[in-house]
mmCIF file of all heavy atoms in Angstrom:
data_model
loop_
_atom_site.group_PDB
_atom_site.id
_atom_site.type_symbol
_atom_site.label_atom_id
_atom_site.label_comp_id
_atom_site.label_asym_id
_atom_site.label_seq_id
_atom_site.Cartn_x
_atom_site.Cartn_y
_atom_site.Cartn_z
ATOM 1 N N PHE A 1 0.812 -1.177 0.028
ATOM 2 C CA PHE A 1 -0.017 -0.057 0.001
ATOM 3 C C PHE A 1 0.873 1.347 0.017
ATOM 4 O O PHE A 1 0.523 2.262 -0.676
ATOM 5 C CB PHE A 1 -0.951 0.035 1.244
ATOM 6 C CG PHE A 1 -1.947 0.941 1.303
ATOM 7 C CD1 PHE A 1 -2.870 1.259 0.117
ATOM 8 C CD2 PHE A 1 -1.935 2.025 2.267
ATOM 9 C CE1 PHE A 1 -3.802 2.299 0.140
ATOM 10 C CE2 PHE A 1 -2.906 3.076 2.154
ATOM 11 C CZ PHE A 1 -3.789 3.205 1.247
ATOM 12 N N ASP A 2 1.854 1.218 0.803
ATOM 13 C CA ASP A 2 2.797 2.379 0.832
ATOM 14 C C ASP A 2 3.509 2.670 -0.585
ATOM 15 O O ASP A 2 3.927 3.706 -0.905
ATOM 16 C CB ASP A 2 3.936 2.174 1.730
ATOM 17 C CG ASP A 2 3.452 2.408 3.306
ATOM 18 O OD1 ASP A 2 2.302 2.896 3.459
ATOM 19 O OD2 ASP A 2 4.199 1.930 4.184
ATOM 20 N N LYS A 3 3.568 1.647 -1.499
ATOM 21 C CA LYS A 3 4.080 1.741 -2.733
ATOM 22 C C LYS A 3 3.035 1.964 -3.757
ATOM 23 O O LYS A 3 3.270 2.017 -5.044
ATOM 24 C CB LYS A 3 4.930 0.476 -3.146
ATOM 25 C CG LYS A 3 6.202 0.458 -2.302
ATOM 26 C CD LYS A 3 7.067 1.453 -2.453
ATOM 27 C CE LYS A 3 8.466 1.281 -1.531
ATOM 28 N NZ LYS A 3 9.453 2.443 -1.661
ATOM 29 N N GLY A 4 1.821 2.194 -3.420
ATOM 30 C CA GLY A 4 0.705 2.571 -4.365
ATOM 31 C C GLY A 4 -0.099 1.335 -4.761
ATOM 32 O O GLY A 4 -1.024 1.506 -5.735
ATOM 33 N N VAL A 5 0.023 0.227 -4.261
ATOM 34 C CA VAL A 5 -0.710 -0.861 -4.506
ATOM 35 C C VAL A 5 -2.005 -0.748 -3.773
ATOM 36 O O VAL A 5 -2.011 -0.936 -2.603
ATOM 37 C CB VAL A 5 -0.113 -2.222 -4.193
ATOM 38 C CG1 VAL A 5 -1.084 -3.394 -4.456
ATOM 39 C CG2 VAL A 5 1.116 -2.366 -5.108
ATOM 40 N N THR A 6 -3.096 -0.334 -4.412
ATOM 41 C CA THR A 6 -4.434 -0.025 -3.860
ATOM 42 C C THR A 6 -5.452 -1.137 -3.958
ATOM 43 O O THR A 6 -6.491 -1.097 -3.393
ATOM 44 C CB THR A 6 -5.067 1.247 -4.453
ATOM 45 O OG1 THR A 6 -5.087 1.120 -5.816
ATOM 46 C CG2 THR A 6 -4.214 2.489 -4.278
ATOM 47 N N HIS A 7 -5.024 -2.175 -4.739
ATOM 48 C CA HIS A 7 -6.058 -3.227 -5.011
ATOM 49 C C HIS A 7 -5.596 -4.517 -4.303
ATOM 50 O O HIS A 7 -4.457 -4.956 -4.680
ATOM 51 C CB HIS A 7 -6.165 -3.439 -6.401
ATOM 52 C CG HIS A 7 -7.184 -4.493 -6.915
ATOM 53 N ND1 HIS A 7 -7.218 -5.220 -8.066
ATOM 54 C CD2 HIS A 7 -8.109 -5.053 -6.197
ATOM 55 C CE1 HIS A 7 -8.044 -6.121 -8.135
ATOM 56 N NE2 HIS A 7 -8.737 -6.018 -6.952
ATOM 57 N N PHE A 8 -6.419 -5.063 -3.543
ATOM 58 C CA PHE A 8 -6.246 -6.384 -2.890
ATOM 59 C C PHE A 8 -7.300 -7.256 -3.191
ATOM 60 O O PHE A 8 -8.506 -7.049 -3.095
ATOM 61 C CB PHE A 8 -6.227 -6.223 -1.362
ATOM 62 C CG PHE A 8 -5.135 -5.195 -0.892
ATOM 63 C CD1 PHE A 8 -5.426 -3.890 -0.736
ATOM 64 C CD2 PHE A 8 -3.779 -5.618 -0.703
ATOM 65 C CE1 PHE A 8 -4.387 -2.959 -0.316
ATOM 66 C CE2 PHE A 8 -2.790 -4.747 -0.398
ATOM 67 C CZ PHE A 8 -3.102 -3.376 -0.177
ATOM 68 N N ASP A 9 -6.919 -8.453 -3.792
ATOM 69 C CA ASP A 9 -7.850 -9.467 -4.366
ATOM 70 C C ASP A 9 -7.889 -10.680 -3.554
ATOM 71 O O ASP A 9 -6.874 -11.414 -3.261
ATOM 72 C CB ASP A 9 -7.410 -9.737 -5.764
ATOM 73 C CG ASP A 9 -8.358 -10.735 -6.504
ATOM 74 O OD1 ASP A 9 -9.447 -10.212 -6.836
ATOM 75 O OD2 ASP A 9 -8.022 -11.879 -6.552
ATOM 76 N N LEU A 10 -9.081 -11.079 -3.226
ATOM 77 C CA LEU A 10 -9.370 -12.318 -2.439
ATOM 78 C C LEU A 10 -10.415 -13.084 -3.071
ATOM 79 O O LEU A 10 -11.071 -12.815 -3.985
ATOM 80 C CB LEU A 10 -9.622 -11.935 -1.018
ATOM 81 C CG LEU A 10 -8.601 -11.197 -0.283
ATOM 82 C CD1 LEU A 10 -9.105 -9.686 -0.098
ATOM 83 C CD2 LEU A 10 -8.452 -11.742 1.243
ATOM 84 N N ALA A 11 -10.827 -14.236 -2.424
ATOM 85 C CA ALA A 11 -11.878 -15.047 -2.702
ATOM 86 C C ALA A 11 -12.263 -15.830 -1.478
ATOM 87 O O ALA A 11 -11.579 -16.080 -0.581
ATOM 88 C CB ALA A 11 -11.490 -16.074 -3.960
ATOM 89 N N ASN A 12 -13.517 -16.363 -1.559
ATOM 90 C CA ASN A 12 -13.945 -17.023 -0.335
ATOM 91 C C ASN A 12 -13.215 -18.259 0.038
ATOM 92 O O ASN A 12 -12.911 -18.512 1.259
ATOM 93 C CB ASN A 12 -15.482 -17.589 -0.608
ATOM 94 C CG ASN A 12 -15.683 -18.548 -1.813
ATOM 95 O OD1 ASN A 12 -14.694 -18.641 -2.571
ATOM 96 N ND2 ASN A 12 -16.799 -18.951 -1.990
ATOM 97 N N ASN A 13 -12.490 -18.984 -0.898
ATOM 98 C CA ASN A 13 -11.877 -20.177 -0.605
ATOM 99 C C ASN A 13 -10.327 -19.971 -0.473
ATOM 100 O O ASN A 13 -9.577 -20.932 -0.305
ATOM 101 C CB ASN A 13 -12.141 -21.271 -1.626
ATOM 102 C CG ASN A 13 -11.641 -20.939 -2.995
ATOM 103 O OD1 ASN A 13 -11.552 -19.738 -3.428
ATOM 104 N ND2 ASN A 13 -11.368 -21.811 -3.930
ATOM 105 N N TYR A 14 -9.849 -18.715 -0.406
ATOM 106 C CA TYR A 14 -8.435 -18.541 -0.350
ATOM 107 C C TYR A 14 -8.022 -18.825 1.083
ATOM 108 O O TYR A 14 -8.573 -18.573 2.099
ATOM 109 C CB TYR A 14 -8.070 -17.213 -0.665
ATOM 110 C CG TYR A 14 -8.036 -16.884 -2.240
ATOM 111 C CD1 TYR A 14 -8.527 -17.781 -3.168
ATOM 112 C CD2 TYR A 14 -7.808 -15.561 -2.795
ATOM 113 C CE1 TYR A 14 -8.502 -17.538 -4.475
ATOM 114 C CE2 TYR A 14 -7.727 -15.169 -3.950
ATOM 115 C CZ TYR A 14 -8.114 -16.178 -4.931
ATOM 116 O OH TYR A 14 -8.282 -15.944 -6.302
ATOM 117 N N GLY A 15 -6.829 -19.424 1.093
ATOM 118 C CA GLY A 15 -6.189 -19.866 2.444
ATOM 119 C C GLY A 15 -4.930 -20.477 2.143
ATOM 120 O O GLY A 15 -4.007 -19.736 1.564
ATOM 121 N N PRO A 16 -4.621 -21.722 2.572
ATOM 122 C CA PRO A 16 -5.606 -22.555 3.183
ATOM 123 C C PRO A 16 -5.596 -22.406 4.707
ATOM 124 O O PRO A 16 -4.692 -21.789 5.124
ATOM 125 C CB PRO A 16 -4.912 -24.039 2.877
ATOM 126 C CG PRO A 16 -3.556 -23.775 2.789
ATOM 127 C CD PRO A 16 -3.472 -22.293 2.275
ATOM 128 N N PRO A 17 -6.631 -22.924 5.409
ATOM 129 C CA PRO A 17 -7.816 -23.397 4.821
ATOM 130 C C PRO A 17 -8.823 -22.406 4.226
ATOM 131 O O PRO A 17 -8.498 -21.151 4.457
ATOM 132 C CB PRO A 17 -8.523 -23.990 6.190
ATOM 133 C CG PRO A 17 -8.045 -23.154 7.201
ATOM 134 C CD PRO A 17 -6.632 -22.706 6.924
ATOM 135 N N PRO A 18 -9.857 -22.857 3.611
ATOM 136 C CA PRO A 18 -10.740 -21.855 2.924
ATOM 137 C C PRO A 18 -11.274 -20.852 3.890
ATOM 138 O O PRO A 18 -11.602 -21.168 5.059
ATOM 139 C CB PRO A 18 -11.909 -22.832 2.296
ATOM 140 C CG PRO A 18 -11.246 -23.938 2.119
ATOM 141 C CD PRO A 18 -10.252 -24.300 3.337
ATOM 142 N N GLY A 19 -11.209 -19.579 3.561
ATOM 143 C CA GLY A 19 -11.708 -18.493 4.343
ATOM 144 C C GLY A 19 -10.654 -17.850 5.120
ATOM 145 O O GLY A 19 -10.832 -16.715 5.609
ATOM 146 N N ALA A 20 -9.401 -18.480 5.308
ATOM 147 C CA ALA A 20 -8.365 -17.938 6.197
ATOM 148 C C ALA A 20 -7.840 -16.698 5.610
ATOM 149 O O ALA A 20 -7.508 -15.720 6.399
ATOM 150 C CB ALA A 20 -7.374 -18.984 6.334
ATOM 151 N N ALA A 21 -7.703 -16.519 4.335
ATOM 152 C CA ALA A 21 -7.050 -15.286 3.787
ATOM 153 C C ALA A 21 -8.005 -14.105 4.018
ATOM 154 O O ALA A 21 -7.592 -12.983 4.410
ATOM 155 C CB ALA A 21 -6.801 -15.448 2.363
ATOM 156 N N GLU A 22 -9.323 -14.216 3.945
ATOM 157 C CA GLU A 22 -10.208 -13.266 4.125
ATOM 158 C C GLU A 22 -10.217 -12.912 5.669
ATOM 159 O O GLU A 22 -10.278 -11.626 6.055
ATOM 160 C CB GLU A 22 -11.651 -13.558 3.700
ATOM 161 C CG GLU A 22 -11.756 -13.546 2.243
ATOM 162 C CD GLU A 22 -13.230 -13.947 1.825
ATOM 163 O OE1 GLU A 22 -13.931 -14.615 2.531
ATOM 164 O OE2 GLU A 22 -13.567 -13.472 0.684
ATOM 165 N N GLU A 23 -10.091 -13.804 6.542
ATOM 166 C CA GLU A 23 -10.040 -13.568 7.964
ATOM 167 C C GLU A 23 -8.740 -12.804 8.317
ATOM 168 O O GLU A 23 -8.912 -11.755 9.112
ATOM 169 C CB GLU A 23 -10.095 -14.799 8.732
ATOM 170 C CG GLU A 23 -11.469 -15.570 8.682
ATOM 171 C CD GLU A 23 -11.338 -16.853 9.357
ATOM 172 O OE1 GLU A 23 -10.324 -17.290 9.733
ATOM 173 O OE2 GLU A 23 -12.421 -17.476 9.595
ATOM 174 N N LEU A 24 -7.685 -13.170 7.712
ATOM 175 C CA LEU A 24 -6.435 -12.466 7.983
ATOM 176 C C LEU A 24 -6.555 -11.024 7.463
ATOM 177 O O LEU A 24 -6.122 -10.103 8.178
ATOM 178 C CB LEU A 24 -5.227 -13.221 7.426
ATOM 179 C CG LEU A 24 -3.828 -12.525 7.713
ATOM 180 C CD1 LEU A 24 -3.610 -12.332 9.156
ATOM 181 C CD2 LEU A 24 -2.830 -13.542 7.085
ATOM 182 N N PHE A 25 -7.021 -10.764 6.293
ATOM 183 C CA PHE A 25 -7.089 -9.549 5.756
ATOM 184 C C PHE A 25 -8.028 -8.675 6.568
ATOM 185 O O PHE A 25 -7.878 -7.510 6.754
ATOM 186 C CB PHE A 25 -7.557 -9.627 4.293
ATOM 187 C CG PHE A 25 -7.580 -8.267 3.579
ATOM 188 C CD1 PHE A 25 -6.444 -7.710 3.016
ATOM 189 C CD2 PHE A 25 -8.665 -7.458 3.503
ATOM 190 C CE1 PHE A 25 -6.413 -6.452 2.524
ATOM 191 C CE2 PHE A 25 -8.665 -6.166 2.927
ATOM 192 C CZ PHE A 25 -7.514 -5.608 2.376
ATOM 193 N N GLY A 26 -9.150 -9.336 6.990
ATOM 194 C CA GLY A 26 -9.946 -8.583 8.000
ATOM 195 C C GLY A 26 -9.370 -8.143 9.207
ATOM 196 O O GLY A 26 -9.628 -7.017 9.682
ATOM 197 N N ASP A 27 -8.395 -8.941 9.761
ATOM 198 C CA ASP A 27 -7.657 -8.471 10.890
ATOM 199 C C ASP A 27 -6.826 -7.176 10.560
ATOM 200 O O ASP A 27 -6.798 -6.203 11.296
ATOM 201 C CB ASP A 27 -6.769 -9.559 11.466
ATOM 202 C CG ASP A 27 -7.537 -10.635 12.094
ATOM 203 O OD1 ASP A 27 -8.700 -10.482 12.515
ATOM 204 O OD2 ASP A 27 -6.882 -11.704 12.263
ATOM 205 N N VAL A 28 -6.226 -7.181 9.366
ATOM 206 C CA VAL A 28 -5.301 -6.010 8.930
ATOM 207 C C VAL A 28 -6.303 -4.826 8.775
ATOM 208 O O VAL A 28 -5.882 -3.765 9.188
ATOM 209 C CB VAL A 28 -4.545 -6.516 7.756
ATOM 210 C CG1 VAL A 28 -3.851 -5.165 7.230
ATOM 211 C CG2 VAL A 28 -3.574 -7.453 7.954
ATOM 212 N N MET A 29 -7.408 -5.033 8.238
ATOM 213 C CA MET A 29 -8.292 -3.994 7.983
ATOM 214 C C MET A 29 -8.786 -3.329 9.182
ATOM 215 O O MET A 29 -8.728 -2.161 9.396
ATOM 216 C CB MET A 29 -9.580 -4.536 7.148
ATOM 217 C CG MET A 29 -10.641 -3.430 6.919
ATOM 218 S SD MET A 29 -10.034 -1.990 6.003
ATOM 219 C CE MET A 29 -9.626 -2.790 4.470
ATOM 220 N N ALA A 30 -9.144 -4.206 10.233
ATOM 221 C CA ALA A 30 -9.664 -3.658 11.512
ATOM 222 C C ALA A 30 -8.650 -3.038 12.357
ATOM 223 O O ALA A 30 -8.861 -2.009 12.952
ATOM 224 C CB ALA A 30 -10.209 -4.848 12.286
ATOM 225 N N ARG A 31 -7.324 -3.508 12.320
ATOM 226 C CA ARG A 31 -6.301 -3.058 13.184
ATOM 227 C C ARG A 31 -5.566 -1.764 12.528
ATOM 228 O O ARG A 31 -4.847 -1.040 13.272
ATOM 229 C CB ARG A 31 -5.368 -4.144 13.630
ATOM 230 C CG ARG A 31 -5.978 -5.249 14.440
ATOM 231 C CD ARG A 31 -5.228 -6.537 14.461
ATOM 232 N NE ARG A 31 -3.973 -6.236 15.143
ATOM 233 C CZ ARG A 31 -3.062 -7.320 15.449
ATOM 234 N NH1 ARG A 31 -3.380 -8.461 15.173
ATOM 235 N NH2 ARG A 31 -1.982 -7.044 15.954
ATOM 236 N N ASP A 32 -5.330 -1.899 11.177
ATOM 237 C CA ASP A 32 -4.363 -0.968 10.530
ATOM 238 C C ASP A 32 -4.941 -0.235 9.339
ATOM 239 O O ASP A 32 -4.639 1.037 9.097
ATOM 240 C CB ASP A 32 -3.100 -1.607 10.152
ATOM 241 C CG ASP A 32 -2.490 -2.267 11.245
ATOM 242 O OD1 ASP A 32 -1.816 -1.504 12.123
ATOM 243 O OD2 ASP A 32 -2.380 -3.444 11.556
ATOM 244 N N PHE A 33 -5.837 -0.818 8.584
ATOM 245 C CA PHE A 33 -6.185 -0.252 7.215
ATOM 246 C C PHE A 33 -7.493 0.512 7.229
ATOM 247 O O PHE A 33 -7.795 1.062 6.308
ATOM 248 C CB PHE A 33 -6.261 -1.416 6.119
ATOM 249 C CG PHE A 33 -4.960 -1.784 5.470
ATOM 250 C CD1 PHE A 33 -3.712 -1.121 5.834
ATOM 251 C CD2 PHE A 33 -4.975 -2.797 4.532
ATOM 252 C CE1 PHE A 33 -2.519 -1.517 5.237
ATOM 253 C CE2 PHE A 33 -3.702 -3.177 3.873
ATOM 254 C CZ PHE A 33 -2.551 -2.447 4.223
ATOM 255 N N ARG A 34 -8.216 0.409 8.318
ATOM 256 C CA ARG A 34 -9.538 1.018 8.303
ATOM 257 C C ARG A 34 -9.555 2.601 7.890
ATOM 258 O O ARG A 34 -10.410 2.911 7.137
ATOM 259 C CB ARG A 34 -10.166 0.934 9.820
ATOM 260 C CG ARG A 34 -11.598 1.340 9.968
ATOM 261 C CD ARG A 34 -12.525 0.449 9.099
ATOM 262 N NE ARG A 34 -12.640 -0.762 9.519
ATOM 263 C CZ ARG A 34 -13.230 -1.731 9.083
ATOM 264 N NH1 ARG A 34 -13.999 -1.537 7.873
ATOM 265 N NH2 ARG A 34 -13.303 -3.038 9.411
ATOM 266 N N PRO A 35 -8.626 3.233 8.392
ATOM 267 C CA PRO A 35 -8.622 4.732 7.901
ATOM 268 C C PRO A 35 -8.568 4.919 6.471
ATOM 269 O O PRO A 35 -8.867 6.030 5.889
ATOM 270 C CB PRO A 35 -7.392 5.378 8.732
ATOM 271 C CG PRO A 35 -7.141 4.479 9.858
ATOM 272 C CD PRO A 35 -7.434 3.136 9.347
ATOM 273 N N TYR A 36 -7.957 3.835 5.755
ATOM 274 C CA TYR A 36 -7.759 4.059 4.323
ATOM 275 C C TYR A 36 -8.581 3.250 3.495
ATOM 276 O O TYR A 36 -8.347 3.145 2.263
ATOM 277 C CB TYR A 36 -6.224 3.571 4.181
ATOM 278 C CG TYR A 36 -5.306 4.352 5.048
ATOM 279 C CD1 TYR A 36 -4.774 3.621 6.048
ATOM 280 C CD2 TYR A 36 -4.849 5.477 4.774
ATOM 281 C CE1 TYR A 36 -3.859 4.296 6.871
ATOM 282 C CE2 TYR A 36 -3.929 6.228 5.549
ATOM 283 C CZ TYR A 36 -3.395 5.635 6.715
ATOM 284 O OH TYR A 36 -2.582 6.230 7.541
#
């Protein structure tokens, strides 16, 4: 993001296990990315 990458692409089954990538990204969103 600091280098201008504004697009983050996920899917329901990304992980492993399925759903884990969205959960991890959700943590980053809640703790650090929310203002942006």
Side-chain angles (χ1 to χ4, degrees):
F1 187 61
D2 285 345
K3 295 299 181 180
V5 177
T6 54
H7 180 206
F8 300 96
D9 181 77
L10 299 102
N12 57 355
N13 63 335
Y14 286 1
E22 289 182 329
E23 290 174 352
L24 182 55
F25 187 81
D27 287 343
V28 176
M29 176 59 64
R31 294 167 58 176
D32 297 290
F33 276 0
R34 183 67 62 188
Y36 306 100

